[in-house]
């Protein structure tokens, strides 16, 4: 039941915020805060309540893929919906879902907060759109019926479109339409794949169902599997975004309002990664293995291309947008490496990237609100005008380039270690990408904040609300940098389960001699060697 | 009376239809266009009658009566449109009504 | 007592956090207290801990303290843990001791700078990171410290960030070292995948068991780690960032770019000595890198006009000596030279800072001169530092450590004649350039007047370091003087003992070899006196003469490395970035959109609005359909 609440509360709050917005904008804003903060609180409670269960080892509840899939959930709702088509209302949560929901609500809250002063027109409708997006996002992460998943997947597009097109910046309509068409077309490809999968399964077993746990392990010819996997891959690759399907992102991110950018970069693009981990690879492990080389190539090209493009930009927000492309390249190679280290790294990267890039977007948005430009040639020396802003920007630039001590480093290191098991060159090139990340991060700092202040700009430094937001994000990143274990433990069970689903396929190779061979069994903590002692 | 063969009847109908169609394409006066449409209708009717004569059934002539009635109704509406056309566009040139383009 | 180990890096880290939080509310006094105080406290704790370690060594000559497990993923479980042995004791004492002196110096030196608090913020973070680096018990935590010092180096080099040139230098440093770091991180991947852990001691043991001597894997891993070391320690081919790093304040140059961060590479190699012992070929590469670097940088130092740049090249050269020592398995010798070098190089940089400040920011040594009488304290301390650098026999610590390295390069089991001659030539050049600075800055005619005199907070560190530069060498006397080498004995508990072997070993250890070095030093001092005192004009003319000028320019520019890297890497990437700025990939979807629009335009051209056209088309279509139906 609580799972439905995660979707229902933001949805209801959306409508209430809209209606209240006609009366008083402040009421609308506070409703929106409630609409995201309440599910967040619920989530934390649920997380703590199930902490013990999450810490345990993964136990399959039955034989075969369906049994493995069933063993993962800490909560689920399964009602029949459209029986004749085999569609059910199937929501379920495991550790991975909890992490994704945490991101959704936390960033939703941040999005509402950072628009407090920035959005003044049609405030009610704005919050309707934001909360509608949040509800859709919650649905995407919770849904396990493929039709329901697709439903929520497409549902989020509409409010996002409006967010960009109505409250965005200069080329907002172009960017909104581009974003919509890219995602819609790729989503349709995924729909075809879903329907085909259902039919194949139906013809094989006589049961037509959209239930993900039933569809696992459907046998089909390698060509069919590859085609269907590519259908899914298209949708998730556009969302992630993977090079070369990334070109919608710079436009959408640049022209979206700050709240839109935060939601886009923070959560929406994580759906791509989540979809690959949860659906695409477990459904088609052999096809994924065959495709792996290509995915690694695309990922590595994305890392370097995104970084070089970021360096080349003169629009500050566009620069930050391209860094997203670069970081998600890491996610892509990590996903296809498909071993414990890489996958944990990917989850961590999703969380840390959401924090660091979200913060950068809030920063850039705040800067734009103050000086009404994003053109870096009109900036320079801003550190002297607003030292707190400069310091904060420096911190998040360091997070972006993967400085150890912050969560992003742990994530990227784990991903690269995992990728190294599968392909040395991909890991090395990914590490080279870190050099390019340094180039763009330092360039961004130099061009905008350092140097002489020649344009006569004067504006206020960070407000208390902004400092509060950034302080919490800084604290989170530092904490994750030195103690990522809570997150890792939460994700461990579901990731082990997912890997078990693909056990025995060519995707999961035996790990190195230092690790257990075969599919990753949950390994007891082995702190390698201590001698001497206090 | 000597039988008129079907072929002759159909050919005549075809020629009449072609004349009407050609006129429809080339004439710009709305009334003339309507007249050409009439010619085409009558040509169709003629084809029906000829066919009916060939098979020795009254269906062809029944269809011709049908066509006549329909043509009358259509002319009534067409002329009404022509009057409105003249009133709003101040001419009877068919080419002048080209606002729904692009 | 040993359990206080974690406080040593924690105190400067706490200092950093306090300075960040209390930034606006602290005055000069408060900042100085927290900034210098935290490092001072850390030095105190270090003395206690290390003293206790030396006095009563724990079992196995090492102490291991684990704070918590950093992360744990499928058997990969690095810890936040600290490991203390002879090597880390040496580094910790130098970092905290010299670090405290430099902090004290900075409280005076940076007095009038508006970024006072920011400076100490970064400096504290640096000391914390460096201490984490040398105390880390696993390579991942070491890497954390490694990058941390790189970050602080960047922040401090570009400290006066109003000038884009300073920021450029900072960026250059960060990016060049990051290139090295990429190699190092690949090395970490390799080591973890092959041996299953990154905890250093277990890793070394596993490597010994699993890998045959000189096996490909061992060499690969060692070379990758060397890549990182080369970047951080500014050795060939990644040395180009250090001269530009002089854009930062002098205390920064003293602490980071002389005494500590640049020795991180030396530390890494010493720490993973087992790996390098296994991979003999990699060790050879280390030695070659060392010898080449010390020669290249030595000649570059000889022709510099900027005082700090000369010292920077000198640092590169001296670290080359350390690499040479490590490369010929003279592990303890390398560490010894690190210690002595930290003393006299920090001294030289701090002295340079005073001089530059006294002359109102004049860096050009040819515009100095005659400062002997105006800044006597600086004169004496600086000269002592220069003498130590030149390895003035018996009375300076540089003599003992450099003599040892030169001897090892010949007599060690890996030594050979080439290394020996290279190090001798290097020693000669070192003498030349170090005393060149003394003659040009302190003697002769005065070109710029002294406008600011140093205060006690700047002078006391100079005095202390000068004393250390004299007595610091007495902890390891060469064999032909006597058998007094407590440092070697101490380091032997953590490092493999140096082996003297080969046909030249006996000569190398003898007094005869030392005599040769002493001779070279005195000849060098004498020659430098002649060249830059009585014959100064002729030397000038010679350097400006058309035949010699290109060579001088080549040496001044660092042997063309900057020029090469600019042409091969920087410009192409910049060009690529700007050429493709509009995202060439986007042409595909834009092309599709354009096609759609073109089709739309084409089709809408057919919507003429004319009735007759429509009828004609409809008629044509009907005819076509009928024809198809009928003629089938």
């Amino acid at each position: 039941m609580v799972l439905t609440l995660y979707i229902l509360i933001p949805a209801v709050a959306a409508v209430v915020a809209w209606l209240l917005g006609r009366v008083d904008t402040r009421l609308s804003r506070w409703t929106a805060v409630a609409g995201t903060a309440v599910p967040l609180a619920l989530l934390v409670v649920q997380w703590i309540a199930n902490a013990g269960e999450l810490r345990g080892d993964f136990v399959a509840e039955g034989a075969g893929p369906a049994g493995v899939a069933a063993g993962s959930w800490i909560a689920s709702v399964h009602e029949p919906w459209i029986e004749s088509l085999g569609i059910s209302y199937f929501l379920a949560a495991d550790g991975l879902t909890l992490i994704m929901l945490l991101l959704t609500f936390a960033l939703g809250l941040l999005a509402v907060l950072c628009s407090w002063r920035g959005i003044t027109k049609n405030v009610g409708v704005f919050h309707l759109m934001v909360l509608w997006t949040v509800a859709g996002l919650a649905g995407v992460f919770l849904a396990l019926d493929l039709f329901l998943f697709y439903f929520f997947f497409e549902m989020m597009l509409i409010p996002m479109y409006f967010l960009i097109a109505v409250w965005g910046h200069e080329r907002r309509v172009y960017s909104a339409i581009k974003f919509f068409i890219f995602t819609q077309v790729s989503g349709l490809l995924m729909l075809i794949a879903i329907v085909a999968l259902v039919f194949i399964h139906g013809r094989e077993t006589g049961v037509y169902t959209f239930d993900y746990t039933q569809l696992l392990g459907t046998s089909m010819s390698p060509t069919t599997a590859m085609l269907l996997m590519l259908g899914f891959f298209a949708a998730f690759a556009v969302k992630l975004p993977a090079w070369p399907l990334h070109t919608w992102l710079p436009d959408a991110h640049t022209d979206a309002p700050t709240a839109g950018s935060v939601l886009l970069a923070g959560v929406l693009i994580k759906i791509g990664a989540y979809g690959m981990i949860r659906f695409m690879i477990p459904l088609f492990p052999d096809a994924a293995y065959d495709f792996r080389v290509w995915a690694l190539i695309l990922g590595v090209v994305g890392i370097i291309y995104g970084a070089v493009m970021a360096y080349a930009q003169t629009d500050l927000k566009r620069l930050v947008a391209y860094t997203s492309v670069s970081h998600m390249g890491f996610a892509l190679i990590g996903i296809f490496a498909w071993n414990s280290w890489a996958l944990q790294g990917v989850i961590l990267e999703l969380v840390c990237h959401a924090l660091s890039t979200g913060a950068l977007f809030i920063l850039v948005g705040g800067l734009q609100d103050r000086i009404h430009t994003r053109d870096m040639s009109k900036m320079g020396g801003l550190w002297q005008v607003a030292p707190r802003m400069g310091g904060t920007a420096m911190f998040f630039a360091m997070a972006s380039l993967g400085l150890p001590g912050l969560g992003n480093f742990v994530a990227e290191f784990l991903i690269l270690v995992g990728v190294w098991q599968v392909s040395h060159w991909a890991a090395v090139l990914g590490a080279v990408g870190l050099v390019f990340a340094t180039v763009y991060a330092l360039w961004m700092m130099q061009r905008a904040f350092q140097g002489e202040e020649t344009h006569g700009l004067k504006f206020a430094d960070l407000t208390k609300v902004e400092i509060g937001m950034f302080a919490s994000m800084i604290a989170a990143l530092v904490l994750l940098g030195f103690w990522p274990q809570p997150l890792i433990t939460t994700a461990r069970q579901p990731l082990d389960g997912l890997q078990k689903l693909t056990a025995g396929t060519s995707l999961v190779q035996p790990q190195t001699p230092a690790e257990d061979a075969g599919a990753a069994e949950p390994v007891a903590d082995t702190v390698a060697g201590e001698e001497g002692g206090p | 009376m000597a039988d008129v063969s079907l072929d002759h009847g159909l050919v005549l109908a075809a020629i009449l239809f072609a004349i009407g169609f050609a006129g429809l394409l080339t004439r710009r006066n709305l009334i003339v266009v309507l007249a050409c449409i009439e010619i085409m209708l009558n040509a169709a009717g003629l084809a029906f009658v000829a066919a009916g004569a060939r098979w020795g059934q009254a269906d062809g002539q029944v269809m011709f009566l049908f066509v006549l009635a329909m043509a009358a109704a259509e002319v009534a509406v067409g002329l009404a449109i022509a009057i409105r056309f003249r009133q709003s566009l101040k001419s009877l040139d068919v080419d002048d009504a080209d606002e729904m383009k692009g | 007592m040993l359990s206080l180990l974690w406080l040593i890096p924690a105190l400067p880290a706490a200092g950093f956090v306090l300075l960040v939080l209390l930034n606006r509310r602290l005055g000069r006094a408060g900042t100085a207290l927290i900034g210098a105080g935290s490092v001072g406290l850390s030095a105190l704790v270090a003395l206690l801990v290390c003293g206790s370690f030396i006095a009563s060594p724990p079992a196995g000559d090492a102490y291991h303290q684990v704070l918590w497990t950093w992360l744990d993923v499928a058997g990969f479980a690095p810890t936040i843990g600290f490991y203390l042995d002879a090597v880390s004791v040496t580094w910790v004492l130098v970092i905290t001791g010299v670090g405290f002196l430099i902090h004290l110096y900075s409280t005076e030196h940076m007095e009038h700078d508006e970024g006072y608090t920011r400076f100490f913020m970064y400096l504290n973070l640096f000391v914390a990171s460096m201490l984490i680096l040398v105390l880390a018990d696993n390579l991942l935590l070491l890497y954390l410290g490694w990058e941390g010092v790189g970050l602080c180096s960047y922040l401090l080099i570009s400290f006066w960030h109003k000038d884009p040139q300073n920021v450029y230098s900072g960026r250059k440093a960060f990016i060049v070292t990051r290139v090295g770091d990429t190699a190092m991180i690949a090395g970490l991947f390799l080591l973890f995948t092959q041996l299953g852990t990154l905890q250093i001691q277990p890793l070394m043991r596993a490597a010994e068991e699993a890998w045959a001597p000189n096996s490909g894997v061992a060499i690969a891993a060692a070379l990758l780690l060397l890549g990182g070391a080369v970047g951080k320690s500014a050795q060939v081919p990644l040395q180009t960032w250090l001269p530009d790093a002089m854009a930062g304040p002098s205390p920064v140059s003293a602490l980071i770019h002389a005494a500590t961060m640049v020795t991180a590479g030396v530390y890494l190699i010493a720490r993973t000595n087992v790996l390098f012992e296994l991979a003999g070929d990699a060790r050879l590469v280390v030695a070659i890198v060392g010898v080449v670097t010390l020669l290249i940088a030595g000649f570059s130092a000889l022709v510099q006009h900027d005082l700090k740049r000369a010292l920077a090249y000198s640092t590169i050269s001296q670290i080359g000596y350390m690499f040479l020592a490590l490369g010929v398995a003279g592990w303890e010798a390398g560490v010894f030279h690190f210690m002595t070098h930290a003393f006299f190089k920090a001294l030289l940089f701090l002295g340079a800072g005073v001089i530059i400040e006294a002359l109102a920011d004049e860096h050009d040594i040819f515009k100095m001169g005659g400062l002997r009488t105006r800044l006597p304290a600086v004169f004496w301390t600086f000269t002592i530092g220069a003498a130590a650098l030149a390895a003035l026999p018996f009375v300076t610590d540089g003599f003992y450590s450099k003599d040892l390295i030169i001897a090892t390069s010949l007599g060690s089991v890996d030594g050979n004649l080439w290394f020996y001659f290279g190090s001798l030539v290097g020693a000669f050049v070192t003498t030349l350039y170090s005393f060149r600075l003394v003659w040009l800055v302190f003697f002769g005619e005065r070109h710029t007047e002294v406008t600011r005199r140093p205060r006690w907070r700047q002078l006391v560190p100079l005095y202390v370091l000068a004393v250390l530069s004299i007595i610091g060498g007495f902890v390891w006397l060469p064999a032909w003087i006597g058998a007094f080498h407590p440092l070697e004995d101490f380091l032997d508990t953590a490092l493999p003992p140096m082996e003297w072997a080969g046909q030249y070993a006996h000569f190398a250890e003898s007094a005869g070899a030392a005599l040769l070095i002493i001779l070279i030093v005195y000849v060098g001092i004498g020659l430098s006196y002649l060249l830059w005192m009585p014959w100064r004009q002729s030397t000038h003319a010679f350097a400006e003469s058309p035949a010699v000028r290109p060579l001088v320019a080549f040496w001044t520019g660092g042997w063309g490395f900057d020029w090469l890297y600019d042409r091969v890497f920087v410009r192409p990437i910049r060009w690529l970035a700007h050429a493709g700025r509009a995202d060439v990939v986007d042409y595909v979807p834009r092309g599709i959109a354009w096609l759609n629009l073109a089709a739309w335009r084409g089709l809408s051209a057919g919507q003429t609005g004319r009735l007759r056209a429509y009828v004609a088309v409809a008629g044509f279509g009907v005819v076509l359909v009928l024809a198809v139906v009928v003629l089938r």
Side-chain angles (χ1 to χ4, degrees), chain A residues 174 178 182 243-248 250-251 305 308-309 311-314 318 322 340-341 344 383-384 387-388 394 398 401-405 409-410 413-414 416-417 420-421 424 427-428 431-432 434-439 442-443 445-446 449-452 461 480-485 488 492 512-515 523-534, chain C residues 3 24-25 59-60 62-66 68-77 79-80 83 114 118 122 132 140-141 143-145 147-148 151 154-155 158 161-165 167-168 170-172 174-175 178-179 182 185-190 192-199 201-202 205 224 573-574 576-578 580-587 589-590:
Chain A
Y174 168 80
K178 196 169 179 181
F182 261 87
W243 190 93
L245 300 171
H246 66 279
T247 54
W248 63 270
D251 290 315
Y305 187 87
V308 174
M309 289 301 289
Y311 170 64
Q313 301 304 315
T314 50
R318 226 178 151 82
Y322 271 109
S340 293
W341 302 302
Q344 286 285 6
W383 198 310
Q384 292 140 49
R388 285 222 182 97
M394 177 67 85
M398 291 301 132
L401 62 83
L403 186 75
F409 167 70
V410 180
F413 187 82
L414 281 173
L416 290 176
V417 164
W420 177 275
Q421 314 294 324
H424 290 342
V428 170
V432 169
L434 290 175
V435 179
F436 286 107
T438 317
V439 172
L442 296 183
W443 171 246
M445 286 310 300
Q446 165 149 13
F449 289 96
Q450 293 165 326
E452 276 286 358
D461 207 343
L480 285 172
F482 282 102
W483 193 48
Q485 203 54 33
I488 292 178
R492 187 168 60 99
T512 61
E515 233 261 319
V523 177
D525 291 5
T526 48
V527 179
E530 268 185 68
E531 40 88 57
Chain C
S3 59
R24 294 294 157 77
R25 275 162 264 194
Y63 174 67
H64 188 195
Q65 182 180 48
V66 175
W68 72 85
T69 305
W70 192 352
L71 57 131
D72 184 356
V73 181
F76 175 52
T79 56
I80 304 285
Y83 180 80
E114 52 171 343
R118 196 161 52 95
Y122 295 157
I132 291 179
L140 198 64
L141 187 60
Y143 188 77
L144 185 147
E147 290 279 336
L151 167 71
Y154 157 73
L155 290 173
S158 57
H161 57 73
K162 274 207 191 108
D163 183 352
Q165 194 55 36
V167 185
Y168 170 76
R171 277 196 299 142
K172 184 176 175 183
F174 206 161
I175 294 175
R178 251 233 162 170
V179 172
T182 308
I185 218 178
L188 293 188
F189 297 154
L190 180 65
F192 173 69
T193 309
Q194 295 294 323
L195 300 173
T197 177
L198 285 181
Q199 303 290 120
Q201 299 307 314
R205 283 198 293 274
L224 287 171
I573 292 180
R574 264 211 199 123
L576 210 67
H578 287 111
R581 182 199 307 195
D583 206 342
V584 283
V585 178
D586 204 25
Y587 283 123
R590 269 195 266 164

Side-chain angles (χ1 to χ4, degrees), chain A residues 250-532:
Chain A
D251 290 315
H253 273 120
T254 314
D255 291 312
T258 312
S261 295
V262 166
L263 276 177
L264 254 180
V267 200
L268 248 96
I269 61 181
K270 312 302 189 266
I271 295 178
Y274 171 82
M276 286 193 198
I277 296 179
R278 173 77 81 201
F279 293 106
M280 187 185 84
I281 295 191
L283 284 172
F284 312 106
D286 293 299
Y289 175 72
D290 292 331
F291 189 64
R292 176 190 273 164
V293 176
W294 294 106
L296 287 177
I297 295 176
L298 289 183
V300 165
V301 172
I303 296 176
I304 298 185
Y305 187 87
V308 174
M309 289 301 289
Y311 170 64
Q313 301 304 315
T314 50
D315 180 326
L316 189 56
K317 214 167 173 191
R318 226 178 151 82
L319 189 153
V320 180
Y322 271 109
T323 69
S324 282
V325 177
S326 189
H327 287 141
M328 287 299 114
F330 276 101
L332 182 60
I333 59 176
I335 292 171
F336 272 85
W338 200 257
N339 52 48
S340 293
W341 302 302
L343 284 173
Q344 286 285 6
V346 170
I347 304 297
L348 204 55
E349 172 81 6
L350 296 185
V351 176
C352 295
H353 171 261
L355 286 172
S356 64
T357 310
L360 278 173
F361 274 119
I362 297 180
L363 206 69
V364 173
L367 188 60
Q368 187 178 10
D369 285 340
R370 288 165 168 82
I371 63 178
H372 305 295
T373 177
R374 296 189 308 269
D375 188 349
M376 293 205 283
S377 63
K378 298 208 172 51
M379 303 183 191
L382 294 181
W383 198 310
Q384 292 140 49
V385 182
R388 285 222 182 97
M389 193 183 280
T392 314
M394 177 67 85
F395 177 87
F396 288 109
M398 291 301 132
S400 221
L401 62 83
L403 186 75
L406 304 176
N408 304 64
F409 167 70
V410 180
E412 280 163 11
F413 187 82
L414 281 173
I415 290 178
L416 290 176
V417 164
V419 172
W420 177 275
Q421 314 294 324
V422 166
S423 158
H424 290 342
W425 64 264
V428 170
L429 285 175
V432 169
L434 290 175
V435 179
F436 286 107
T438 317
V439 172
Y440 71 64
L442 296 183
W443 171 246
M444 177 187 94
M445 286 310 300
Q446 165 149 13
R447 199 67 197 80
F449 289 96
Q450 293 165 326
E452 276 286 358
E453 209 292 294
T454 50
H455 299 281
L457 292 169
K458 239 188 155 14
F459 52 86
D461 207 343
L462 297 178
T463 65
K464 285 219 170 43
V465 177
E466 284 173 329
I467 294 182
M469 281 196 290
F470 288 133
S472 55
M473 290 197 270
I474 290 176
L477 280 176
V478 173
L479 190 67
L480 285 172
F482 282 102
W483 193 48
Q485 203 54 33
L487 214 64
I488 292 178
T489 315
T490 311
R492 187 168 60 99
Q493 220 191 58
L495 288 179
D496 283 345
L498 285 168
Q499 286 179 288
K500 272 208 159 58
L501 286 174
T502 59
T505 65
S506 41
L507 193 60
V508 181
Q509 312 155 297
Q511 307 283 340
T512 61
E515 233 261 319
D516 289 346
E521 303 286 336
V523 177
D525 291 5
T526 48
V527 179
E530 268 185 68
E531 40 88 57

Side-chain angles (χ1 to χ4, degrees), chain C residues 625-632:
Chain C
V625 168
L626 279 177
V628 165
V629 167
V630 164
L631 293 176
R632 269 264 233 117

Side-chain angles (χ1 to χ4, degrees), chain C residues 479-491:
Chain C
W480 52 271
I481 292 186
F484 182 68
H485 39 77
L487 183 63
E488 183 184 14
D489 296 330
F490 180 57
L491 290 174

Side-chain angles (χ1 to χ4, degrees), chain C residues 303-322:
Chain C
V303 295
Q304 296 297 321
H305 284 227
D306 183 318
L307 178 59
K308 285 178 66 175
R309 265 183 109 87
L311 290 175
Y313 276 111
S314 162
T315 305
I316 299 177
S317 179
Q318 294 306 305
I319 298 184
Y321 271 100
M322 295 179 220

